[in-house]
């Protein structure tokens, strides 16, 4: 009887130790995930720039909250801000920086110095997205051209978002996507932000990054 009791106590102790070790293991994994989420090096930094009321703030809120937020608060001063973090299903980690109020000031040079350091030291890809209101498309075409040229000069991946896609049906949006991408030579897509297209936005960025890197590498091989 005493032997059976000792065996039972020993087994209970053993199982308790194993359960404790497993719990500690899970806690360590959870802490590591939290650390990587908060402090881990991203695979790419995504810059959002463009005119006021183009939809940059709404995009950041979509990424952070997953839902459309119609309120608008204009950025009043220059800043560099880590605004949102996204990890794709493929495991690629993007950090979104809202550069509102900064991009066209003298502090922009500081931003590019920082980004250049990230590229050379940490091998982080820089994706620069020009965000514009579709209703202003005719007036800002020169800005898209300047954006494309600057990205090519600095070695950034150039993309563009057109917001206010609710003004067009799906066929019109698809045709305009193809037309604008052909004209400017970079991936451009029209989005209806009222539909909270978070997955669509991330998929576009990831595909645009992959295709652009492929074309850049192919061009280098051909030279």
């Amino acid at each position: 009887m005493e032997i059976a009791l000792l065996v039972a106590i020993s087994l209970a102790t053993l199982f308790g130790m194993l359960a404790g070790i497993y719990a500690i293991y899970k806690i360590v994994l959870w802490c590591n995930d939290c650390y990587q989420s908060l402090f881990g090096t991203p695979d790419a930094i995504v810059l959002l720039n463009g005119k006021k009321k183009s939809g940059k703030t709404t995009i950041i809120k979509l990424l952070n909250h997953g839902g459309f937020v119609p309120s608008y608060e204009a950025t009043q001063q220059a800043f560099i801000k880590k605004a949102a973090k996204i990890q794709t299903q493929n495991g690629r980690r993007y950090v979104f920086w809202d550069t509102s109020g900064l991009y066209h000031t003298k502090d922009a040079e500081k931003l590019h110095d920082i980004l250049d350091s990230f590229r050379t030291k940490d091998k982080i890809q820089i994706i620069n997205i020009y965000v514009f209101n579709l209703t202003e498309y005719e007036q800002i075409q020169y800005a898209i051209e300047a954006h494309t040229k600057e990205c090519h000069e600095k070695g950034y991946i150039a993309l563009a978002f057109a917001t206010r896609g609710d003004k067009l049906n799906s066929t019109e949006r698809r045709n305009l996507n193809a037309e604008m991408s052909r004209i400017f030579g970079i991936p451009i897509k029209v989005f209806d932000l009222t539909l909270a297209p978070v997955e669509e936005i991330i998929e576009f960025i990831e595909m645009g990054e992959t295709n652009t890197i492929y074309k850049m590498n192919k061009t280098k091989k051909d030279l």
Side-chain angles (χ1 to χ4, degrees):
M1 184 68 178
E2 292 181 357
I3 295 177
L5 181 60
L6 289 174
V7 170
I9 293 174
S10 298
L11 289 174
T13 302
L14 176 61
F15 284 125
M17 291 177 60
L18 291 175
I21 292 172
Y22 180 74
I24 292 174
Y25 169 73
K26 296 295 288 185
I27 291 173
V28 169
L29 287 181
W30 179 80
C31 290
N32 181 66
D33 288 342
C34 289
Y35 176 84
Q36 291 298 327
S37 175
L38 293 173
F39 306 105
T41 303
D43 297 301
I45 294 174
V46 182
L47 307 178
L48 298 180
N49 69 85
K51 294 176 61 177
K52 291 181 179 180
K53 298 185 180 181
S54 60
K56 300 182 299 298
T57 301
T58 302
I59 291 171
I60 291 298
K61 289 183 177 181
L62 281 176
L63 296 172
N64 280 327
H65 306 294
F68 178 70
V69 182
S71 60
Y72 172 77
E73 297 177 2
T75 303
Q76 300 299 327
Q77 59 184 4
F79 70 102
I80 299 174
K81 179 182 179 183
K82 183 186 291 185
K85 299 187 294 291
I86 292 290
Q87 181 166 328
T88 71
Q89 293 181 347
N90 296 324
R92 193 149 183 82
R93 293 173 297 177
Y94 293 110
V95 170
F96 289 77
W97 282 6
D98 181 355
T99 60
S100 299
L102 170 74
Y103 202 75
H104 297 292
T105 71
K106 62 181 180 180
D107 291 331
E109 186 175 345
K110 297 179 182 178
L111 169 64
H112 294 303
D113 289 341
I114 292 172
L115 294 174
D116 188 57
S117 175
F118 285 149
R119 291 178 61 206
T120 56
K121 180 181 178 181
D122 299 315
K123 307 301 180 184
I124 297 175
Q125 194 67 251
I126 308 300
I127 303 173
N128 199 353
I129 302 177
Y130 186 81
V131 183
F132 63 96
N133 187 320
L134 187 59
T135 61
E136 299 179 345
Y137 175 54
E138 297 295 332
Q139 291 76 41
I140 54 84
Q141 292 188 27
Y142 71 93
I144 302 176
E145 293 175 353
H147 164 76
T148 303
K149 180 181 179 181
E150 181 180 43
C151 288
H152 288 167
E153 292 174 348
K154 295 183 179 299
Y156 299 166
I157 292 176
L159 304 177
F161 285 171
T163 59
R164 298 307 302 271
D166 53 303
K167 302 295 182 180
L168 305 174
N169 60 44
S170 58
T171 300
E172 290 172 332
R173 288 199 297 268
R174 185 167 57 251
N175 292 339
L176 187 56
N177 292 340
E179 178 185 338
M180 291 190 297
S181 299
R182 176 183 55 80
I183 292 174
F184 299 102
I186 63 172
I188 301 180
K189 187 167 184 176
V190 179
F191 289 95
D192 179 357
L193 298 184
T194 64
L195 300 178
V198 174
E199 292 184 4
E200 187 180 355
I201 288 174
I202 299 304
E203 181 181 351
F204 173 72
I205 292 174
E206 194 169 27
M207 185 176 297
E209 178 189 15
T210 301
N211 292 342
T212 302
I213 292 176
Y214 172 77
K215 291 179 181 178
M216 291 169 63
N217 292 336
K218 188 176 185 301
T219 300
K220 290 179 181 179
K221 289 180 180 179
D222 294 338
L223 293 177

